[in-house]
């Protein structure tokens, strides 16, 4: 009868141990439209399948990105956070197994004659060696498994945070490199303008000295020269700052041969990026995946909080040998054991368990809102990048036409001034318009290249294992 009762108890315990109080996870519906506005039909490989080495065309930029992936301190912290989260998960997972330890002890006691039963002082010795299990919890209601699941999801969320850090770093390096190149072009334009206006100013000074030019004309040309000088100094400063910003991102010194030669018109070898559907963001945007793992962790936390309402059974036991003599410790008949099961049934905790469950549920609701916000943010970023991508080519065409028109206008105004038809004020106005249009063309080209970088980033591209430069 006792044998049957034991079998039934083992069966029931095994059956109950398979239960879990963690609520079933259902992915929340994406709170965005089913397709992006301003999206052209596109087919081809997924953006996540295009590695950054294959995406970026400039070999100097590729080398700078490789250096950043190897040396950037923020990315290094993200990698170390993964190692920390992995270790924390292993610590939590260890609670699923009994902790077995071996102990040995020796105890000696002397009893004085006044307290001894024999009227003479006595000395006693006790030696023991045991192997035991301390407070191993039978996970009947899934509390330990829920905590393990929570730690695993936190680890996975940390891994996604590292992916986000890498994708962001690659985009920041590309944008810093392009900004540096654009400022170099702006500096060259300012230097060219200063040289041209400086020659005109020198010639006008000579003419003014002999009375062939008015002081008004001389001062008008001087304003153009001084403006170019101011821009020259300003862009020289910006170029130094651009280089410093890139050094911070790269995390090491930048060799002189890695400076951009010019802005160029192409940053990527990929002709067109397939945007796909908004639902694709759920699988390829690491920040969205991170938010989902945090939501799953919150679900597991609910399971652990629910399990706190139910009994907890812990087992403590040991088996070994004891003797009053060291040489008899492992002799026959010296065996000793102890078994101490403990049942902890929560009766009253001042509402702490209920409060912990409420906290877990509210946290889960917060994670749902954060997950939905991550999707909405991702959708908005992609939609903005697509909207700009659709019009930037037209903007460049119009800006280039404007630059050509203002250059022609400046040439005609200068010719009319030399023939005495117009004043130099008309030339100065045409020159300012041309200078502004040329700067605008550089700005628009920079925006187009940065838009390609942004589109690649917001679609989840740029993830691959870092390689040494």
């Amino acid at each position: 009868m006792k044998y049957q009762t034991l079998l039934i108890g083992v069966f029931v315990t095994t059956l109950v141990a398979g239960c879990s109080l963690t609520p079933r996870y259902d992915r929340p519906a994406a709170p965005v439209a089913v397709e992006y506005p301003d999206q052209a039909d596109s087919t081809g490989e997924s953006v996540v399948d295009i590695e950054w080495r294959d995406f970026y065309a400039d070999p100097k930029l590729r080398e700078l990105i490789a250096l950043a992936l190897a040396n950037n301190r923020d990315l290094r912290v993200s990698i170390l956070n993964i190692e920390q989260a992995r270790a924390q998960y292993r610590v939590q997972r260890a609670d699923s197994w009994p902790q077995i330890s071996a102990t040995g002890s020796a105890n000696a006691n002397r009893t004085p004659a006044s307290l001894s039963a024999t009227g003479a002082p006595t000395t006693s010795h006790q030696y023991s060696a045991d192997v035991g299990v301390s407070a191993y919890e039978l996970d009947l209601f899934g509390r330990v498994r829920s905590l393990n699941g929570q730690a695993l999801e936190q680890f996975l969320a940390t891994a996604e945070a590292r992916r986000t850090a890498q994708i962001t770093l690659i985009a920041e390096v590309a944008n810093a490199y392009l900004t540096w190149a654009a400022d170099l072009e702006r500096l060259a334009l300012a230097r060219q303008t200063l040289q041209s206006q400086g020659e005109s100013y020198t010639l006008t000074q000579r003419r003014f000295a002999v009375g062939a030019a008015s002081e008004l004309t001389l001062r008008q040309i001087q304003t153009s020269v001084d403006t170019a000088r101011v821009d020259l100094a300003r862009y020289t400063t910006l170029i130094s700052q651009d280089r410093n910003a890139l050094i911070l991102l790269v995390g090491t010194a930048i060799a002189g041969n890695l400076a951009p030669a010019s802005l160029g018109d192409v940053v990527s070898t990929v002709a067109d990026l397939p945007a796909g559907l908004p639902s694709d963001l759920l699988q390829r945007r690491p920040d969205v995946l991170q938010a989902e793992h945090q939501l799953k962790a919150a679900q597991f936390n609910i399971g652990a909080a629910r399990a706190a309402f139910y009994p907890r059974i812990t087992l403590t036991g040991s088996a070994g040998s004891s003797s009053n003599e060291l040489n008899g410790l492992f002799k026959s008949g010296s065996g000793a054991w102890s078994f101490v099961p403990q049942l902890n049934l929560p009766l009253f905790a001042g509402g702490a368990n209920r409060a912990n469950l409420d906290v877990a549920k509210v946290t889960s609701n917060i994670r749902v809102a954060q997950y939905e916000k991550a999707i909405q943010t991702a959708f908005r970023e992609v939609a903005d990048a697509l909207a700009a991508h659709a019009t930037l080519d037209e903007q460049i065409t119009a800006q280039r036409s404007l630059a050509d028109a203002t250059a022609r206008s400046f040439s005609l105004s200068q010719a009319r001034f030399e023939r005495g038809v117009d004043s130099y004020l008309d030339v100065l106005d045409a020159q300012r318009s041309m200078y502004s249009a040329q700067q605008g063309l550089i700005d628009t080209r920079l925006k187009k290249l940065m838009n390609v970088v942004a589109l690649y980033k917001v679609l989840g591209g740029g993830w691959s294992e870092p390689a040494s430069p």
Side-chain angles (χ1 to χ4, degrees):
M1 182 66 179
K2 292 182 179 180
Y3 179 72
Q4 293 177 346
T5 303
L6 178 61
L7 287 180
I8 293 174
V10 171
F11 174 76
V12 171
T13 301
T14 304
L15 181 64
V16 174
C19 76
S20 175
L21 300 178
T22 300
R24 188 183 71 177
Y25 174 73
D26 294 318
R27 175 183 286 175
V32 293
V34 296
E35 61 182 20
Y36 302 110
D38 304 312
Q39 178 184 353
D41 294 334
S42 60
T43 58
E45 61 181 328
S46 173
V47 172
V48 294
D49 297 327
I50 306 174
E51 290 193 1
W52 61 264
R53 298 178 186 86
D54 300 324
F55 180 78
Y56 290 104
D58 191 330
K60 295 180 180 180
L61 177 56
R62 288 200 296 265
E63 187 170 351
L64 287 170
I65 291 174
L67 285 171
L69 294 180
N71 297 287
N72 181 268
R73 299 311 189 267
D74 290 334
L75 184 60
R76 188 173 298 176
V77 170
S78 297
I79 296 173
L80 293 175
N81 284 338
I82 292 178
E83 298 303 321
Q84 183 185 47
R86 181 185 287 113
Q88 289 174 341
Y89 169 62
R90 289 167 54 197
V91 169
Q92 181 59 54
R93 188 181 178 188
D95 289 343
S96 301
W97 303 92
Q99 307 297 311
I100 300 175
S101 59
T103 61
S105 64
N107 188 12
N109 292 303
R110 182 182 184 280
T111 304
S114 59
L115 297 178
S116 174
T118 61
T122 60
T123 301
S124 63
H125 299 272
Q126 181 178 354
Y127 302 92
S128 64
D130 302 289
V131 175
V133 176
S134 176
Y136 171 62
E137 180 178 349
L138 296 179
D139 195 22
L140 301 181
F141 300 98
R143 190 188 74 88
V144 176
R145 290 195 305 277
S146 294
L147 293 176
N148 289 347
Q150 181 189 30
L152 176 60
E153 293 299 333
Q154 291 291 0
F155 162 68
L156 296 175
T158 306
E160 296 299 337
R162 182 265 172 103
R163 290 182 58 198
T164 300
Q166 176 168 321
I167 291 173
T168 301
L169 175 62
I170 291 174
E172 288 179 345
V173 170
N175 286 331
Y177 180 79
L178 293 172
T179 301
W180 188 8
D183 284 339
L184 285 172
E185 286 201 6
R186 294 185 181 105
L187 178 64
L189 177 61
R191 185 177 287 116
Q192 179 184 356
T193 302
L194 178 60
Q195 180 180 358
S196 173
Q197 295 304 308
E199 293 173 354
S200 298
Y201 181 68
T202 301
L203 179 60
T204 305
Q205 273 185 321
R206 294 173 184 171
R207 296 178 61 190
F208 173 72
V210 298
S214 66
E215 184 179 1
L216 177 61
T217 300
L218 179 64
R219 299 312 172 196
Q220 288 173 339
I221 297 178
Q222 184 181 356
T223 61
S224 179
V225 172
D226 291 340
T227 299
R229 288 175 57 194
V230 169
D231 286 347
L232 187 66
R234 180 161 61 93
Y235 290 127
T236 300
T237 301
L238 288 176
I239 287 171
S240 297
Q241 293 174 343
D242 293 339
R243 183 183 181 88
N244 293 337
L246 194 54
I247 289 174
L248 178 61
L249 290 172
V250 170
T252 186
I254 298 176
N257 62 344
L258 294 181
S262 63
L263 182 59
D265 293 318
V266 177
V267 70
S268 173
T269 57
V270 180
D272 188 23
L273 287 176
L277 298 174
S279 58
D280 297 337
L281 292 177
L282 306 183
Q283 284 77 39
R284 65 190 183 196
R285 282 272 298 221
D287 55 339
V288 175
L289 295 175
Q290 178 186 0
E292 184 173 16
H293 285 304
Q294 290 173 339
L295 171 57
K296 291 179 180 179
Q299 295 283 92
F300 279 112
N301 194 33
I302 292 177
R306 286 176 174 174
F309 287 89
Y310 294 87
R312 292 175 58 185
I313 298 177
T314 57
L315 304 179
T316 299
S318 65
S321 178
S322 297
S323 174
N324 60 355
E325 297 180 355
L326 183 61
N327 58 5
L329 186 60
F330 297 105
K331 289 183 178 180
S332 176
S334 63
W337 59 268
S338 66
F339 179 61
V340 187
Q342 183 177 13
L343 173 65
N344 184 353
L345 179 63
L347 297 177
F348 177 75
N353 290 338
R354 173 59 61 184
N356 286 332
L357 179 58
D358 291 341
V359 169
K361 289 180 177 179
V362 172
T363 301
S364 178
N365 292 334
I366 292 173
R367 297 304 186 193
V368 170
Q370 291 174 335
Y371 173 70
E372 293 175 341
K373 179 62 180 296
I375 295 176
Q376 290 175 336
T377 301
F379 181 88
R380 185 261 175 97
E381 290 176 351
V382 174
D384 286 349
L386 288 173
H389 191 73
T391 61
L392 278 169
D393 285 334
E394 182 179 350
Q395 291 182 40
I396 288 179
T397 301
Q399 191 67 41
R400 184 173 284 116
S401 176
L402 177 62
D404 292 341
T406 54
R408 180 58 178 166
S409 175
F410 172 69
S411 178
L412 293 174
S413 296
Q414 199 166 27
R416 288 172 63 86
F417 167 73
E418 292 173 355
R419 290 197 297 266
V421 178
D422 292 333
S423 68
Y424 193 79
L425 187 60
D426 296 324
V427 178
L428 184 61
D429 183 63
Q431 189 271 333
R432 288 172 177 170
S433 297
M434 180 186 69
Y435 185 57
S436 176
Q438 290 172 335
Q439 286 184 320
L441 180 59
I442 296 174
D443 292 342
T444 307
R445 289 167 53 211
L446 176 61
K447 287 179 182 178
K448 175 176 170 52
L449 298 177
M450 284 186 166
N451 173 256
V452 175
V453 173
L455 191 56
Y456 181 58
K457 171 194 171 185
V458 299
L459 289 174
W463 164 253
S464 64
E465 289 297 333
S468 299

